[in-house]
Amino acid sequence: MTEGLRKGLASYGDAGFSLFLRKAFIKAMGYSDDALDRPIVGITNTYSDYNPCHGNVPDIIAAAKRGVMLSGAMPFAFPTISIHESFSHPTSMYLRNLMAMDTEEMIRAQPMDAIIVIGGCDKTLPAQIMAAVSADLPTVVIPVGPMVVGHHKGEVLGACTDCRRLWAKYRAGEIDDNEIEAVNGRLAPSVGTCMVMGTASTMACVSEALGLSLPMSATIPAPHAERFRLAEASGRVAARMAKAKGPKPSEFLTEASFRNAQVVLQAIGGSTNGLIHLTAIANRTSHKIDLEAFDKLGREVPVLVDLKPSGEHYMEHFHHAGGVPKLMAQLGDLLDLDARTIEGRTLREVVAAAEEVPGQDAIRDKQHPIKPEGSMAVLHGNLAPRGAVIKHAAASPKLLQHTGRAVVFESVEDMTLRIDDPELDVNADDVLVLRNAGPKGAPGMPEAGYLPIPKKLGRAGVKDMVRISDARMSGTAFGTIVLHITPEAAVGGPLALVKNGDRIRLDVERRRIELLVDEAELNQRQTALKPATTPEWAQRGYARLFNETILQADEGCDFDFMRANGKG
Ligand code: FES
């Protein structure tokens, strides 16, 4: 079997010449023949001046390289696309699949026997894991780690739950211009990913639960020395995998691994985005995420991690309490502890080594959960024939059963223009409806599902309302918010049929979301819908590919031809 530098030669019709040429060029960097004869560990470099979450990537790469070389292999770092949430127009989700394709193809194109992917900001780990399982090369995932917490007026602050909370206070006139400026400088006090249980933290925990990262990888704060020791250890593991040619993701990711990831997703109070990403990852393997089964797990698995936005603490507290290994120890038989990790160990061994931290209160036991049920529920009904999701752990309990009058916004732009209009006919019991914000409609399914409370209601003290959409929501947000309504309005889903004043019933206990309009009327409205045409933004390039092949939320929003079996 070819390995190291001999893998995947450029095609000149003469393999000997291809290798001769490759070595001639790479020697320009000063490598010796001994170095070039070693197994190779590729390392993705997602450092970017546009991505502050990845600010420690150069140091992680240096540490990982050290680990690789100490174990007798040769590291090669290479750049890929990097995506930061607040620097991605129109939305980071629009670019996730591009990053997954870029990463997969660069793994395939360049010679390497194992790969270390380093990511963290929301879409990056999903994209990298999607790429790695598709390329099916021995893979180690190193998350960049969470930021440390910020402080303001004696209060602990976390991006971005407190970004939203304090912005809402500012909108409601409770804090002034000077204070919101001061807060702006304190919400992100270090490099690293958002330090609440947002999508970045969620996917890092999911990666650990899948066995793709070393224990504690998800939680060590980004600036801590421990993170760089973990990167060195990850480098050693990758070198071992490069020499052993395994295990590949296809060799240790089983049905049980994906079930474990869903259990952890529920127990951490994870981001709703995590469900979309995990679905996309599974679809690139021979496994599937079944929404009904996920919902059923939600009824059995309690939320045990006390982190914002569902609870009180932040990622560094989760870490100091024992991290994901301790959480998995508390979950015990809710997990399949025989599932394996990249090190060849079982989760049972990982759990056995979990740290016991006296007096910690960030990771509860099953007898004292934060919430007796998991964080997310899957809803169905005539508004969401293929499902919708609510993070009920971060919702207002009194709104989980609610019927109200629809106030409809046609698009994100429409919502932005009208939500604060003093003339808007809206009251606290209404249901705010946003449509055309799904995978195709927006495009890229922006995190617009957290519709702001209309200013006039915010000023009157309204903190939460039922909000429904085909959009996504940041995992850091709080509220009674129904997301991912599928099919989306832009492809003719029933959300497109809602009119102002219709009544909508949400019943989370029964897992229902319904438009209380009779069927004959709905059929009439459906017939009157204009057929979808190719939008202006989707005439060429990546936009066209996106528009023509993007799947709905229940299928992970991957491109249809990127699934394990292609277009099928
Ligand atoms: Fe990068 Fe939150 S913005 S993880």
Side-chain angles (χ1 to χ4, degrees), residues 31-304:
Y31 290 108
S32 66
D33 282 319
D34 180 24
L36 296 176
D37 273 344
R38 305 284 174 141
I40 294 175
V41 176
I43 304 176
T44 62
N45 183 358
T46 53
Y47 180 81
S48 160
D49 285 347
Y50 289 106
N51 195 343
C53 296
H54 289 201
N56 62 354
V57 164
D59 293 334
I60 292 181
I61 290 176
K65 280 185 166 180
R66 191 162 66 237
V68 171
M69 286 192 278
L70 283 169
S71 300
M74 195 61 213
F76 278 92
F78 62 96
T80 73
I81 294 173
S82 189
I83 305 172
H84 184 271
E85 286 302 293
S86 64
F87 284 95
S88 303
H89 178 78
T91 160
S92 59
M93 190 64 175
Y94 177 71
L95 299 168
R96 183 201 66 181
N97 296 348
L98 183 64
M99 181 173 181
M101 289 175 86
D102 169 27
T103 307
E104 176 183 343
E105 291 310 316
M106 294 319 285
I107 293 173
R108 289 185 191 281
Q110 301 167 129
M112 59 190 83
D113 304 289
I115 174 77
I116 296 175
V117 293
I118 303 170
C121 194
D122 292 18
K123 306 305 172 292
T124 58
L125 280 184
Q128 292 176 313
I129 299 173
M130 288 157 74
V133 299
S134 291
D136 202 25
L137 205 64
T139 301
V140 179
V141 177
I142 308 181
V144 296
M147 297 175 206
V148 292
V149 296
H151 296 266
H152 175 67
K153 291 191 170 169
E155 221 190 324
V156 176
L157 292 189
C160 240
T161 302
D162 296 309
C163 316
R164 292 171 206 285
R165 182 176 62 80
L166 292 165
W167 186 252
K169 276 191 162 191
Y170 175 62
R171 279 174 54 83
E174 291 172 35
I175 59 178
D176 63 17
D177 289 353
N178 288 340
E179 185 165 358
I180 199 73
E181 259 323 293
V183 163
N184 191 256
R186 294 172 176 175
L187 281 162
S190 76
V191 298
T193 48
C194 292
M195 61 293 226
V196 298
M197 192 49 79
T199 306
S201 303
T202 298
M203 291 311 296
C205 294
V206 161
S207 177
E208 229 182 288
L210 285 170
L212 282 163
S213 302
L214 294 191
M216 307 301 276
S217 290
T219 53
I220 303 168
H224 282 199
E226 205 182 341
R227 173 140 308 273
F228 306 107
R229 278 193 289 277
L230 176 121
E232 185 183 306
S234 299
R236 285 182 181 273
V237 170
R240 214 162 56 222
M241 292 165 83
K243 289 178 188 170
K245 306 283 176 280
K248 297 175 184 167
S250 62
E251 291 166 344
F252 76 93
L253 285 179
T254 60
E255 204 65 46
S257 314
F258 281 100
R259 189 182 175 282
N260 287 342
Q262 292 173 72
V263 170
V264 166
L265 182 55
Q266 292 280 15
I268 57 180
S271 157
T272 44
N273 289 319
L275 182 57
I276 294 184
H277 298 318
L278 190 61
T279 301
I281 293 165
N283 280 346
R284 286 177 172 231
T285 71
S286 54
H287 308 290
K288 290 268 166 297
I289 303 296
D290 177 70
L291 286 181
E292 304 301 323
F294 178 73
D295 182 67
K296 190 162 171 289
L297 274 182
R299 296 211 190 246
E300 294 160 12
V301 177
V303 177
L304 295 183

Side-chain angles (χ1 to χ4, degrees), residues 496-507:
L497 310 181
V498 184
K499 289 190 170 169
N500 278 321
D502 286 350
R503 296 191 64 78
I504 290 174
R505 182 166 61 212
L506 170 67
D507 185 343

Side-chain angles (χ1 to χ4, degrees), residues 120 123 163 230 285 351 380 390 424 462 486 499 528 551-552 560:
K123 306 305 172 292
C163 316
L230 176 121
T285 71
V351 157
H380 283 92
I390 184 167
L424 182 69
V462 177
T486 308
K499 289 190 170 169
L551 294 166
Q552 292 287 291
D560 57 11

